[in-house]
Amino acid sequence: MSPVVLAVGDLTVDQIFATFRDLPAWGQETEVDRMEVRLGGNTGNFALAAKRLDLDVRCAGPIGNDDNGIWITKELERKGLNTDLLDIRDGSATSVTTALVREDGERLFITLPGALTKLGEMLLHRSFPAAELALFSGWCQPPRVRKEILHDVFARLKAAGIKIAIDLAWSEASWNVRGDVLEVLSKVDFALMNSDEATALTDEADLIVATEKLYAQLGDGAVLVVKNGERGALLRQSGKPSVTIPAIKITGQVQAVGAGDSFNAGFIHALAAQQLDAEAATAFGCDFATWMLTHGRDEAVDPTVIASLRRHDRWDKSGEPA
């Protein structure tokens, strides 16, 4: 049987507009080549990517009892994902995010939170089934959710033998309460974030310095992964110096929306299903994210193909073809 993974956080309707060279000024207009509407949010993106790897993902997050909420539920069911833990909120709109994609793949996001503001309330009362690991992402960080609520749900899950991972999201409000965010990180087994979030949270421009500063705040035995785009990821774990895991080089332009969530899916699959160590899991996460960027999230994938990229030395340590 596939390991059960809880995916807790934001389920949204994503509207992706691509591609921009420059944003228009107020009162002006610009045109794009394409527009896509799809299930998203960090939790939605993770769930769909993890399903490609045949993880048994159970999504928990608040959505509205509206057309968008119905669409999200049907989309999860269509992909074969369990919807028993969805928290359907009467009188709340389902969250919608608009992503604008620049020509080089960089993105900006505009979000209507809607039902996501009820996430903390959901966590106070939600009971969870047995699982190997729970990934908290998107909105699961102070001040969007109070640290006391997160501490409580983490304690309940750990008492049931469930490991805790958290993936931070960019939030100016969170950097203003960094003490609370760091306190939450101290309670998890796996802390995941991107390089911008790591430097913003620590107020350190140097990523290595930021990584060491963050790792000092984590609990005993915790693993820290800082995702660094085309450069791969930086891994820090107990008893070992930080190590950079390079990403496979991609030629041409790709749409990077959801790349970090695909990394999370590969990383967690490697830990829970393949029983790999943190360094090998980080490499698998990088390679799976690259595969998703170049193949799309609807194409069938064989995990052994992803694993073979490095095992067969098809890529050198710089990420270039060998």
Side-chain angles (χ1 to χ4, degrees):
M1 293 177 61
S2 299
V4 175
V5 175
L6 307 176
V8 185
D10 55 334
L11 292 153
T12 73
V13 176
D14 278 2
Q15 302 173 329
I16 303 171
F17 292 83
T19 55
F20 288 83
R21 176 171 299 171
D22 298 298
L23 294 177
W26 291 109
Q28 298 181 5
E29 182 181 9
T30 191
E31 297 179 357
V32 295
D33 303 317
R34 60 189 181 276
M35 181 261 194
E36 179 184 2
V37 177
R38 69 185 197 183
L39 173 64
N42 297 110
T43 299
N45 288 333
F46 166 79
L48 293 177
K51 183 63 178 176
R52 307 311 306 158
L53 293 168
D54 203 30
L55 285 173
D56 185 355
V57 182
R58 315 288 177 90
C59 293
I63 59 175
N65 189 15
D66 55 8
D67 288 344
N68 283 333
I70 293 169
W71 181 83
I72 284 177
T73 303
K74 289 183 176 178
E75 195 67 5
L76 289 169
E77 291 172 345
R78 187 174 71 85
K79 297 290 186 179
L81 288 156
N82 185 290
T83 59
D84 292 347
L85 299 180
L86 293 183
D87 183 43
I88 300 173
R89 293 274 169 168
D90 290 329
S92 293
T94 299
S95 180
V96 177
T97 290
T98 297
L100 308 181
V101 183
R102 203 166 61 189
E103 287 180 334
D104 63 357
E106 187 56 88
R107 306 137 299 155
L108 66 80
F109 303 93
I110 304 167
T111 294
L112 171 71
L116 287 180
T117 59
K118 307 297 184 182
L119 181 57
E121 183 180 322
M122 183 203 82
L123 291 174
L124 274 176
H125 305 291
R126 170 66 68 200
S127 59
F128 293 97
E132 180 80 14
L133 183 145
L135 173 66
F136 290 78
S137 59
W139 271 60
C140 296
Q141 61 194 60
R144 291 166 170 169
V145 177
R146 291 189 293 111
K147 66 179 182 179
E148 294 82 5
I149 293 176
L150 292 168
H151 290 171
D152 173 73
V153 70
F154 290 174
R156 285 188 279 127
L157 291 170
K158 285 190 171 186
I162 300 172
K163 292 186 178 297
I164 306 296
I166 190 168
D167 184 29
L168 296 185
W170 180 270
S171 169
E172 295 283 357
S174 291
W175 317 147
N176 291 330
V177 293
R178 55 171 52 94
D180 288 354
V181 177
L182 291 170
E183 192 174 332
V184 168
L185 291 179
S186 73
K187 307 295 184 182
V188 307
D189 300 291
F190 303 97
L192 312 171
M193 66 194 73
N194 68 33
S195 55
D196 290 337
E197 293 152 1
T199 55
L201 180 57
T202 58
D203 202 25
E204 295 284 354
D206 186 281
L207 186 57
I208 298 295
V209 174
T211 298
E212 290 301 319
K213 192 171 181 178
L214 280 168
Y215 191 74
Q217 301 292 322
L218 302 186
D220 293 341
V223 171
L224 171 65
V225 178
V226 180
K227 293 169 279 188
N228 198 17
E230 63 184 12
R231 297 176 182 85
L234 193 64
L235 170 69
R236 183 68 165 87
Q237 55 184 322
S238 179
K240 297 181 180 181
S242 62
V243 58
T244 296
I245 309 296
I248 295 170
K249 185 176 178 62
I250 300 175
T251 58
Q253 297 295 329
V254 295
Q255 187 185 109
V257 175
D261 304 312
S262 294
F263 171 90
N264 294 348
F267 180 75
I268 289 172
H269 181 274
L271 293 173
Q274 302 179 57
Q275 300 293 305
L276 299 181
D277 62 27
E279 185 168 343
T282 302
F284 187 88
C286 287
D287 294 347
F288 180 62
T290 299
W291 191 95
M292 291 286 284
L293 284 172
T294 54
H295 290 76
R297 62 183 189 175
D298 291 325
E299 187 171 329
V301 57
D302 182 346
T304 61
V305 172
I306 308 300
S308 72
L309 296 178
R310 292 175 196 254
R311 188 172 66 241
H312 292 164
D313 295 324
R314 290 172 57 185
W315 307 94
D316 67 18
K317 290 184 179 180
S318 72
E320 297 281 358

